Amino acid sequence: MQQNQTSALAGIKVLDLSRVLAGPWATQMLADFGAEVIKIEPPGKGDDTRGWGPPFIQGQQGCDAAYFHTANRNKHSVAIDFSKPEGQALIHRLAAQSDVVVENFKVGGLAKYGLDYNSLKISNPGLIYCSITGFGQQGPMASQPGYDFMIQAMGGLMSVTGEPDGSPMKVGVALADILTGLYACNAIQAALLYRHSTGLGQYIDLALLDVQIACLANQAMNYLTTGQSPNRFGNAHPNIVPYQSFATADGHIILAVGNDQQFARFCSLPGCEALLGQPQYLTNAQRVQHRETLVPLVADILRQQSSQWWLTNLEALSIPCSPINNVGEAFANPQVQHRQMQRQFSDKDGHTQPFVGNPIQFSQSPVQYHSPPPALGQHSEQILRQRLGLTGEELTHLVHLGVINAPVSD
């Protein structure tokens, strides 16, 4: 279990009690940075996302949904039923040796098992304990369950996503979960730095709804500045024009004019004569004000040439633009391939498992990809023997009690 010492978080031990996406996304990031992550799962079914398919990935150790593979590489799986006293005792002992605990049970859900922060910090005062819930530990909605779809709706994101005359739309990935995972990873690393300088552990209370509100970004500030809730603009931008998708002679492209100099260069292209010298379009503020007249003019111009013609000529003038790729086309992009965002694990028998690379590239402490997502309970015996010193007889007894799921060697 020894990690590469060039890893940024080498030597940090994380006990992962989280499931589904937000928590596992955070702990996978910590594992990528070199932390040792022990994922605790209930015997029998494990993390719910193991069954969230098809599609499924057949690995050397078993078959789990591609969804599970999204957020669980570089981890060890230990299957423990902590509804039983013997399982709770095992978690206590593992937590006493850990730097970080991450969990996403409902408020108070782990207290009845004695696995809450106040219980675990008694034997480990330096523990950093991160709780992820839908609505946080206090407030009128604290006891309610929170799911990504709900949070996108409740947190305002759906109100600004979709066509102006269409229905509110959620984002095509569980963005509230993913962003919460990223915030959790940042918070945990900040807490580790704080502990390094003070010796003090701490509790982190992170709510999906809080994160969604924070990530409304400019839309939130537009509201706070004006008192008016932003409208849906489809693929357009509320503060920049022209900045949206446009039809061409044979498809669609994105045109993202980010400043006045780029717009002037756009006006110099063949076919853009109608825009030259128009004073109402000289600055972005004017273009936003006159969106209703400018956008149709630009749309008429772009329909005169093919997508490739526009992409070639816009790129030649350093005017931001893009094709609208499907996921397969995105992975086929030469830049994406050069950056090695599509990777694979290979085992000694020649089996491969694809995965998406971590986008962070360190110069001194590179991201580690040492193991694919584990089978349920794959490391139970190894961890409990090495970390807790359990004997084969003790492990066998726990298996018979249904506390752990592990094949026990002699």
Side-chain angles (χ1 to χ4, degrees):
M1 294 185 293
Q2 182 67 33
Q3 302 297 315
N4 189 324
Q5 289 302 305
T6 63
S7 299
L9 296 182
I12 297 297
K13 294 180 173 61
V14 178
L15 189 62
D16 184 4
L17 303 180
S18 67
R19 309 94 73 206
V20 187
L21 187 55
W25 195 268
T27 53
Q28 177 173 265
M29 183 76 75
L30 297 170
D32 284 353
F33 294 166
E36 180 189 53
V37 177
I38 297 175
K39 181 179 179 70
I40 304 298
E41 302 184 72
K45 68 182 183 68
D47 189 312
D48 286 343
T49 61
R50 288 185 181 273
W52 284 12
F56 292 92
I57 294 178
Q58 180 65 54
Q60 189 177 27
Q61 303 293 333
C63 185
D64 293 303
Y67 198 115
F68 176 79
H69 284 248
T70 298
N72 289 290
R73 66 170 170 262
N74 291 340
K75 301 179 184 180
H76 305 286
S77 173
V78 177
I80 297 177
D81 182 354
F82 55 72
S83 68
K84 301 178 186 298
E86 297 86 352
Q88 295 160 23
L90 293 175
I91 300 296
H92 265 273
R93 293 176 64 185
L94 289 169
Q97 300 177 13
S98 298
D99 300 286
V100 178
V101 168
V102 179
E103 60 92 4
N104 59 350
F105 286 78
K106 66 180 181 180
V107 172
L110 290 180
K112 62 184 177 181
Y113 303 123
L115 302 179
D116 56 306
Y117 174 62
N118 287 330
S119 298
L120 296 183
K121 73 174 183 179
I122 295 172
S123 59
N124 186 357
L127 183 66
I128 294 160
Y129 190 110
C130 179
S131 292
I132 299 172
T133 57
F135 303 102
Q137 299 296 308
Q138 300 88 29
M141 298 184 68
S143 64
Q144 296 189 24
Y147 294 90
D148 179 274
F149 192 12
M150 292 171 53
I151 299 302
Q152 288 196 35
M154 193 177 298
L157 183 60
M158 288 181 63
S159 76
V160 296
T161 305
E163 292 298 327
D165 298 326
S167 299
M169 295 292 293
K170 71 178 180 67
V171 179
V173 296
L175 193 62
D177 275 340
I178 291 171
L179 290 170
T180 301
L182 294 176
Y183 268 92
C185 185
N186 273 296
I188 289 165
Q189 291 178 93
L192 286 168
L193 287 172
Y194 182 80
R195 189 185 68 178
H196 180 72
S197 60
T198 67
L200 300 174
Q202 62 181 302
Y203 181 76
I204 300 169
D205 171 8
L206 196 57
L208 269 69
L209 183 60
D210 294 351
V211 170
Q212 181 59 83
I213 295 294
C215 290
L216 290 174
N218 60 297
Q219 296 283 34
M221 286 305 300
N222 289 348
Y223 164 71
L224 294 177
T225 301
T226 66
Q228 297 179 347
S229 293
N231 297 317
R232 293 191 299 280
F233 280 89
N235 289 323
H237 196 289
N239 303 111
I240 310 173
V241 174
Y243 196 102
Q244 63 185 77
S245 61
F246 288 96
T248 66
D250 61 354
H252 292 80
I253 66 167
I254 295 297
L255 176 65
V257 174
N259 58 51
D260 297 338
Q261 293 74 28
Q262 291 171 2
F263 184 73
R265 295 199 297 274
F266 174 73
C267 292
S268 72
L269 285 167
C272 296
E273 294 83 0
L275 302 177
L276 289 172
Q278 297 287 340
Q280 68 269 36
Y281 305 143
L282 289 178
T283 69
N284 181 69
Q286 291 171 307
R287 292 192 294 276
V288 172
Q289 183 179 357
H290 296 282
R291 178 195 302 269
E292 299 303 322
T293 59
L294 175 58
V295 169
L297 289 174
V298 174
D300 288 342
I301 291 168
L302 266 71
R303 275 194 290 264
Q304 304 308 308
Q305 301 289 348
S306 69
S307 294
Q308 192 55 58
W309 189 94
W310 281 112
L311 293 171
T312 299
N313 285 275
L314 291 167
E315 289 173 0
L317 293 178
S318 297
I319 299 170
C321 61
S322 172
I324 301 175
N325 291 331
N326 62 31
V327 175
E329 290 167 336
F331 275 103
N333 184 306
Q335 182 67 21
V336 174
Q337 293 182 345
H338 179 81
R339 300 288 288 183
Q340 296 184 286
M341 289 305 297
Q342 180 176 349
R343 294 173 177 263
Q344 66 180 26
F345 289 110
S346 300
D347 63 28
K348 63 182 187 312
D349 297 323
H351 300 114
T352 61
Q353 294 184 34
F355 69 97
V356 182
N358 190 307
I360 299 173
Q361 298 197 16
F362 293 109
S363 65
Q364 297 297 323
S365 55
V367 168
Q368 302 293 311
Y369 304 113
H370 55 76
S371 60
L376 176 60
Q378 180 179 342
H379 304 96
S380 296
E381 179 183 5
Q382 175 188 357
I383 296 294
L384 296 177
R385 281 185 185 272
Q386 294 182 5
R387 288 281 293 271
L388 304 186
L390 269 62
T391 65
E393 182 179 352
E394 290 172 319
L395 290 167
T396 300
H397 177 64
L398 291 171
V399 169
H400 288 161
L401 291 175
V403 175
I404 66 171
N405 176 19
V408 180
S409 60
D410 293 333

